[in-house]
Amino acid sequence: PSSSVPAVACQDCTCSNEIDPSSGLFKIVCEFQQCNEICDLGYEYVETNSYDCCGKCVQKQCVLNLNGTKQLLNEGETWSPPENMCEHYTCMRNGDTLTALSSQIICPHFQESNCHPDTIQTAANGCCKICVEIDKACKLISTKTLVSRHGCQSEHEVEMPYCEGSCNTFTKYSAAAAALEHSCSCCKETRSSNRTVDLLCLNGGKITHTYMYVEECGCGHTECTTTAGLRARKKRSSMLL
């Protein structure tokens, strides 16, 4: 009694203390094996095939343990701790094993003294600092060009300054508005004047053309939309005609 008895697969059988009246022998009692379906964090219990009595725990996620806090990552998913956005952890598969591989963003050299005032911000990756550099900031660019209009053209090149450079633009979450706050500015003229130039025509005639002469440039607020950008480009193009 109480001894294990060989039996069919997936059943545990023992010799009991109960006597079978028909045979006078102790009865054999069988019960199906109890499968342990409780798996570790990141693993999932799955059935294998009909020949196996129990399924098994299969890894479905990477388990990242940082400072006592566990973070689950799906295969191919990348995660960064909020306190250090320069550090990335990516869940990668190697055979049947999922492993969280770490990587570090190396930011380019950042020199605050070379930044235009009030343009320092965090890049989209949440790690590196960026700004509008002074040598790339919005400024007046001097150039000369021939002015053409209705088949007539200026005899000499005319000075036609224009605005070019970067301005501060950002998108950030506003707790007060409970929404994303967008702020856009573009490089445009802040002071200009009208000037005239004589254009010579093919028939020997001469016409006077008035154009806008840009005297000063600066960053001006604009709407953060595609149409706003198109209007700004069209306006600059018309100034060059």
Side-chain angles (χ1 to χ4, degrees), residues 63-71:
V63 181
L64 186 62
N65 194 343
L66 288 179
N67 302 323
T69 302
K70 293 184 178 180
Q71 180 73 29

Side-chain angles (χ1 to χ4, degrees), residues 145-147 152-158 197-200 206:
T145 185
L146 291 172
V147 179
C152 304
Q153 183 174 283
S154 60
E155 186 176 2
H156 304 288
E157 287 186 336
V158 176
V197 60
D198 291 333
L199 306 182
L200 301 179
K206 182 185 294 185

